[in-house]
Amino acid sequence: MADEKVTTMGFMQDNAMMTAIRDTYIAFSERREALGLLNPGTVDNVAREVQKDVFLKNYMFTGLRADLTKPFSISPVFHVSHAFAMGSQEGLPPYTFATLYGTPKVFLQGNMDNEGQFSGRANYRWTDALITKTNAQISPGPGQAMFQVDNDYTGKDFTASLKALNPSILEGGLTGIYITSYLQSVTPSLAVGLEMMWQRAAVNTGPETAVSYVAKYKGSDWIASAQLQAQGAISTSYWRRLTEKVEVGADLNLQFQPGMGGRGGLMGSGLRKEGTTTLGAKYDFRQSTFRAQVDSTGRLSCLLEKRVLPYVQLSFAGELDQFKVGIPAFL
């Protein structure tokens, strides 16, 4: 029996087909290594420099807001905070208690507001390349709970991700939203990838699928990205660092949807085209940061963050559309 196993292994290693496959893989790996490719990031963050660094989407607010944070430990990181809001049009609760704990492998964060709504995040890094991220929200009202789990594998020149939103098999079948994505560097500057989605709301409904394609090109001081979605949407972004303290960004979103009337469509229907362009800039002062953006609908937004003391930061936000203004303080 042992001789038969040795003979089988020898055949697998010595036959011409396996040798050709092994040599091809080794040659491909050597060429791939010689290109000096870097990790391109994730599909979710393909336009991070514009959407999260320059634009104001994650920073705008209305009303008055104050955050009081008390650190207890640096290693591991542990602190608690109290957030107060008044007159907010974004639906911020009047009071929120939050706590955060972090080590090189574990990250935990939880928030509880005065209405009993809880949200929490838990990340665990299995290896330097593999990390699992979970996000949960629980509300007092029925049907408002949410659970999400992400798994990201970061290779030397690629990133693969698997995401599940409200996964369940309790109804006798698989339900929820499942998204897998892959982004690969093909040159030191260019990365391409795709994202596939499968979703089913209930077992008595059929599943829906969609595929999106992404590309990202990185220059010496600029980054351009594009995404083609299955629903007929095209998103492009451009980011550039003008100086050490100044960054600018542009974003274009085009929607192509079936509409009534027009030419070239089936049974007299055509495509309804909608688009929005947004331009933004970010300027870093010595102790403050100023952001501004304007879009093609005529909405102008500005944000100034000023650190007045080592543990005190003030932020002023304004939006010229229906003229909304907010002032928070962070301690």
Side-chain angles (χ1 to χ4, degrees):
M1 189 67 178
D3 294 340
E4 182 179 351
K5 186 177 296 185
V6 172
T7 303
T8 303
M9 292 297 297
F11 173 78
M12 293 294 293
Q13 295 177 357
D14 298 336
N15 74 85
M17 181 177 294
M18 293 302 299
T19 302
I21 294 175
R22 184 172 64 251
D23 293 343
T24 301
Y25 177 78
I26 293 175
F28 176 76
S29 299
E30 291 176 350
R31 290 187 178 183
R32 188 172 169 182
E33 185 75 20
L35 290 175
L37 303 179
L38 300 177
N39 183 272
T42 63
V43 171
D44 289 341
N45 291 325
V46 71
R48 178 184 61 82
E49 292 80 8
V50 174
Q51 298 290 345
K52 298 184 179 181
D53 293 345
V54 175
F55 286 177
L56 282 70
K57 180 179 180 181
N58 298 325
Y59 304 95
M60 285 300 296
F61 61 92
T62 56
L64 177 65
R65 192 180 68 188
D67 292 349
L68 308 176
T69 302
K70 172 64 176 177
F72 289 95
S73 174
I74 298 178
S75 181
V77 176
F78 177 66
H79 67 244
V80 299
S81 63
H82 307 269
F84 304 89
M86 183 175 60
S88 172
Q89 298 182 11
E90 290 85 9
L92 293 177
Y95 172 74
T96 302
F97 174 79
T99 182
L100 183 147
Y101 174 85
T103 68
K105 281 185 171 292
V106 178
F107 175 82
L108 302 173
Q109 183 181 25
N111 302 326
M112 176 75 75
D113 63 24
N114 59 289
E115 298 179 353
Q117 180 172 332
F118 171 81
S119 62
R121 296 169 54 194
N123 301 348
Y124 186 80
R125 183 171 294 279
W126 303 93
T127 66
D128 292 340
L130 179 62
I131 184 172
T132 297
K133 307 174 183 179
T134 60
N135 189 353
Q137 294 182 6
I138 302 175
S139 300
Q144 299 184 10
M146 187 275 293
F147 177 74
Q148 177 178 320
V149 57
D150 300 8
N151 294 279
D152 294 335
Y153 185 86
T154 305
K156 187 175 182 180
D157 56 6
F158 72 93
T159 300
S161 302
L162 178 62
K163 180 187 303 183
L165 179 63
N166 287 339
S168 176
I169 57 173
L170 300 179
E171 299 180 12
L174 187 63
T175 59
I177 301 176
Y178 302 87
I179 302 173
T180 180
S181 61
Y182 183 85
L183 190 61
Q184 171 72 57
S185 294
V186 293
T187 72
S189 301
L190 178 64
V192 296
L194 57 82
E195 183 178 75
M196 297 177 289
M197 181 195 69
W198 184 96
Q199 67 174 354
R200 185 164 65 172
V203 292
N204 56 358
T205 62
E208 299 179 5
T209 59
V211 180
S212 302
Y213 304 92
V214 298
K216 180 178 181 180
Y217 190 90
K218 184 175 182 180
S220 58
D221 58 357
W222 60 274
I223 298 175
S225 64
Q227 185 170 3
L228 174 62
Q229 300 177 359
Q231 296 84 357
I234 300 176
S235 300
T236 61
S237 67
Y238 178 80
W239 172 89
R240 189 179 186 92
R241 182 180 295 278
L242 299 181
T243 67
E244 183 180 351
K245 297 183 178 181
V246 181
E247 304 174 23
V248 295
D251 184 81
L252 172 64
N253 288 288
L254 296 176
Q255 296 279 347
F256 299 92
Q257 299 177 351
M260 301 302 295
R263 297 181 180 179
L266 182 63
M267 299 296 291
S269 64
L271 285 177
R272 184 181 59 178
K273 298 178 285 290
E274 297 179 355
T276 304
T277 302
T278 305
L279 303 176
K282 174 187 174 184
Y283 192 98
D284 290 320
F285 297 91
R286 188 170 65 90
Q287 290 185 338
S288 61
T289 299
F290 176 75
R291 291 180 173 89
Q293 73 178 49
V294 60
D295 60 31
S296 55
T297 65
R299 177 178 297 178
L300 174 64
S301 306
C302 299
L303 176 74
L304 175 63
E305 297 173 310
K306 173 71 173 179
R307 184 164 296 280
V308 294
L309 292 173
Y311 297 103
V312 179
Q313 175 178 303
L314 295 177
S315 297
F316 302 88
E319 185 175 272
L320 186 59
D321 183 17
Q322 297 176 348
F323 197 73
K324 295 178 286 186
V325 177
I327 303 176
F330 302 94
L331 304 179

